[in-house]
Amino acid sequence: MISHPLAFMRLPYDVLVAMDSRMYHYWMQPVHYLVRTLHILSMAGFFGMDLLFGITLCQNREKNILAAVSRLLVRWVHSLFAVAMITGVALFFYDPVHIGSRAYLTPKLLFIVLAMGLAAIGHRRVYLPALAGRGGASTPARVVAVASVVLWSAVIVASCLNSEGVPKVFLR
């Protein structure tokens, strides 16, 4: 019996088994922890920069400060996001049955899709004007910035919930 409220969203076991490749698993095994470390570092850097951009966007500062911060961060944010996504997919295919069977994988993927959709929508309306120095602390910009930080925080929370099982209570 599955007691998780979002269990209906889990990937079917047959699909996970079909994605499993022992050859890929054995090939990646010697570098698995390096890839995992790179994934965690790139994800942390991406989230930190997204948080910094969101805070800067929400502040009532001069537009040239926002433009300078945006120009400084945009290349790093895109690069770290790409590394986090590539290493995340590589880690998923390392053991898709084990990772895909975790309770919070599907909500994590859902939050990632929502955050990417928000970024796609907010790109022209918020991020490009900020890079050009025309944007700033308008209400839509603040909403997009806060929503982005909330969604990426939800991705991290789902990842943390996936990393370990529920603690066992030993009764005497």
Side-chain angles (χ1 to χ4, degrees):
M1 181 172 139
I2 299 174
S3 63
H4 187 269
L6 300 174
F8 69 93
M9 295 173 60
R10 284 190 178 175
L11 297 171
Y13 186 75
D14 295 338
V15 172
L16 295 172
V17 169
M19 286 190 241
D20 196 6
S21 168
R22 291 292 97 189
M23 183 181 293
Y24 178 75
H25 182 87
Y26 291 128
W27 174 81
M28 190 168 158
Q29 196 168 19
V31 296
H32 173 257
Y33 287 101
L34 294 174
V35 174
R36 180 185 279 180
T37 302
L38 184 60
H39 178 70
I40 291 169
L41 290 174
S42 62
M43 181 272 314
F46 165 76
F47 179 72
M49 289 186 187
D50 185 57
L51 183 63
L52 181 63
F53 183 70
I55 290 170
T56 306
L57 200 59
C58 288
Q59 295 293 319
N60 287 322
R61 303 279 183 205
E62 295 178 18
K63 292 178 183 176
N64 59 354
I65 293 173
L66 178 60
V69 169
S70 300
R71 288 188 190 112
L72 176 70
L73 296 180
V74 72
R75 187 169 290 147
W76 282 101
V77 168
H78 290 162
S79 299
L80 289 170
F81 177 75
V83 171
M85 287 296 123
I86 290 168
T87 56
V89 169
L91 289 170
F92 173 77
F93 283 109
Y94 176 71
D95 193 1
V97 174
H98 181 240
I99 294 172
S101 298
R102 293 180 177 167
Y104 290 94
L105 175 70
T106 309
K108 175 184 173 181
L109 295 175
L110 180 65
F111 291 138
I112 289 172
V113 168
L114 289 172
M116 290 174 64
L118 178 70
I121 291 169
H123 188 72
R124 288 185 187 259
R125 296 181 184 158
V126 176
Y127 301 135
L128 288 180
L131 286 169
R134 297 186 314 265
S138 65
T139 301
R142 288 180 179 165
V143 169
V144 168
V146 169
S148 176
V149 170
V150 166
L151 285 171
W152 287 114
S153 296
V155 170
I156 292 171
V157 168
S159 296
C160 291
L161 292 172
N162 271 340
S163 64
E164 292 185 27
V166 176
K168 293 179 176 65
V169 178
F170 297 106
L171 302 174
R172 296 177 195 214

